[in-house]
Amino acid sequence: MLKCPAPSVMIRGMSRILALLVSLLLSFSGCDRPDAVELIRGETMGTTYQVSFVSRETTAAHRQELVKAIDALLAEINQSLSTYIENSTISRINASTDLKEWQPIDQHFDSVLQRSRDIYQDTKGAFNPAVGPLVNAWGFGPEEPDRLPDAATVEALRKVVDFDSFAYRQFPPALRKHIASARLDFNAIAKGYGVDAVGLLLEQRGVISYIVEIGGEVRARGHHPDRPSWRVGVEKPTDDALADKQIKMVIELKDAALATSGTYRNYDISEGKKISHIIDPKTGYPAQNSLLSVSVIAPDAVTADAYATALIVMGLDEGLRFVEARKGLAAYFIATDNSGKLVERRSSAFPAPVND
């Protein structure tokens, strides 16, 4: 079974350093250290992360302390939301078959759950974290099935995929199942949440200009030292999952987030057919339409991440109408026409590519 990482966004212009000349005052001369872009890299959520931020005062000790804080935060989020960790919060809830017991949830889980419910309702179920049983059945969960589901199995599982099969208690935060076999899967929103969490950590430490990326999901605040925004690249879809990534276009991003969801890297091959990892909760089958990828710009990464998945499920025409009707969202769609050629469509609010 072939499984590959989600589409990524490449960050440009991170290594340039501005030169700042300070004028002489009377007999005193000197120079200030210019704003520099610090870069931190690591691994999390089965992929990589990259944090770039503007700083004048980062010492080796301060940098190391920041690395530890970021890694600890991401490990905490993973322990809450990862279905690949047996004793995580979500794995514990998924494994339970008790319909009377309230399962306590942590702050990360609670935040993602509430945002998920909002987007679930707004998309009329196109984004549905209760899709876990179908994700597992199609081979994209923590356990690989012996065979892919037949029509009867899909129909049976589709009845289980209901976000309302989880009851929520606010004080103290907890979930209780209505259906024993119900399963949650936050993979379509967790990386975006992680990006936002790291961004907020930086802001709490006084960083006002930064860009955070986890597995292709990006949050940008402030600006790069030598331009009024940050620049990010949108990946060009390819049928070769192992091919080197190519940039389709570069856009400017400031005080916003960008997430890309696609069917062209994370998929399985069965009987010569490509099976997307994005499952349509309404049909129970992998999303089947002309879309190869959707890149969404939103105020934060958790929102962009979830809506990108929902738009893949909706398809090109419905997805474009959906985005145009919502303030604060912008999207860039790449699809194929009947002849197999790439077709590009963008919402009116999606920025034009950078040409220089």
Side-chain angles (χ1 to χ4, degrees), residues 41-356:
R41 291 192 177 101
E43 296 183 357
T44 187
M45 301 182 184
T47 183
T48 60
Y49 76 79
Q50 181 167 289
V51 178
S52 298
F53 61 99
V54 179
S55 174
R56 285 190 170 202
E57 302 177 355
T58 302
T59 63
H62 178 266
R63 176 189 173 86
Q64 186 59 33
E65 193 275 334
L66 185 57
V67 170
K68 288 183 178 179
I70 292 172
D71 285 341
L73 175 60
L74 291 174
E76 192 177 282
I77 294 171
N78 239 0
Q79 185 63 38
S80 173
L81 305 178
S82 176
T83 57
Y84 291 85
I85 298 176
E86 289 187 4
N87 65 345
S88 67
T89 302
I90 195 168
S91 293
R92 170 174 49 80
I93 291 171
N94 285 344
S96 174
T97 58
D98 193 325
L99 303 184
K100 296 182 179 180
E101 180 184 8
W102 285 100
Q103 299 283 341
I105 58 177
D106 55 79
Q107 180 181 354
H108 300 301
F109 194 104
D110 197 2
S111 296
V112 171
L113 180 74
Q114 301 312 319
R115 193 69 187 108
S116 293
R117 189 170 296 281
D118 291 341
I119 298 173
Y120 166 77
Q121 294 171 345
D122 187 41
T123 61
K124 294 180 171 57
F127 173 77
N128 184 357
V131 76
L134 285 167
V135 170
N136 293 335
W138 285 104
F140 295 103
E143 297 181 5
E144 195 167 316
D146 295 331
R147 61 182 181 275
L148 295 180
D150 56 21
T153 301
V154 170
E155 182 60 24
L157 291 176
R158 197 171 63 84
K159 297 176 181 179
V160 176
V161 178
D162 183 356
F163 209 178
D164 292 328
S165 63
F166 293 88
Y168 173 70
R169 185 184 69 191
Q170 187 174 7
F171 300 112
L175 285 186
R176 185 173 65 188
K177 287 184 177 182
H178 294 312
I179 302 174
S181 58
R183 301 285 187 277
L184 289 169
D185 188 318
F186 288 133
N187 286 333
I189 196 172
K191 289 197 299 293
Y193 177 79
V195 167
D196 287 334
V198 172
L200 292 175
L201 172 66
L202 294 173
E203 292 173 24
Q204 290 167 0
R205 292 165 184 254
V207 177
I208 60 174
S209 291
Y210 64 83
I211 187 164
V212 178
E213 181 259 343
I214 298 178
E217 324 301 21
V218 176
R219 175 187 173 104
R221 292 294 185 268
H223 60 86
H224 189 278
D226 60 357
R227 65 178 65 94
S229 63
W230 296 92
R231 290 183 176 180
V232 297
V234 178
E235 186 181 346
K236 179 180 180 180
T238 174
D239 285 336
D240 185 354
L242 300 179
D244 291 338
K245 296 178 177 65
Q246 298 181 19
I247 295 300
K248 178 67 175 174
M249 68 175 177
V250 176
I251 63 172
E252 293 186 336
L253 194 67
K254 183 177 182 180
D255 297 334
L258 173 72
T260 297
S261 184
T263 62
Y264 61 97
R265 281 199 178 272
N266 190 5
Y267 59 83
D268 187 17
I269 299 293
S270 178
E271 299 179 353
K273 295 182 179 180
K274 182 188 294 186
I275 301 174
S276 168
H277 74 290
I278 299 176
I279 309 300
D280 184 341
K282 295 180 181 179
T283 67
Y285 288 86
Q288 297 177 347
N289 54 54
S290 64
L291 283 175
L292 295 176
S293 71
V294 179
S295 298
V296 174
I297 294 177
D300 49 52
V302 71
T303 300
D305 197 6
Y307 277 110
T309 297
L311 294 177
I312 287 283
V313 171
M314 292 179 190
L316 178 56
D317 293 335
E318 182 184 348
L320 186 57
R321 287 193 298 269
F322 180 91
V323 172
E324 292 288 18
R326 278 155 182 80
K327 185 177 180 180
L329 289 184
Y332 171 67
F333 301 80
I334 301 179
T336 55
D337 62 16
N338 293 333
S339 66
K341 293 182 180 180
L342 291 183
V343 176
E344 303 173 41
R345 300 276 296 279
R346 72 184 68 206
S347 69
S348 57
F350 199 87
V354 176
N355 295 319
D356 59 336

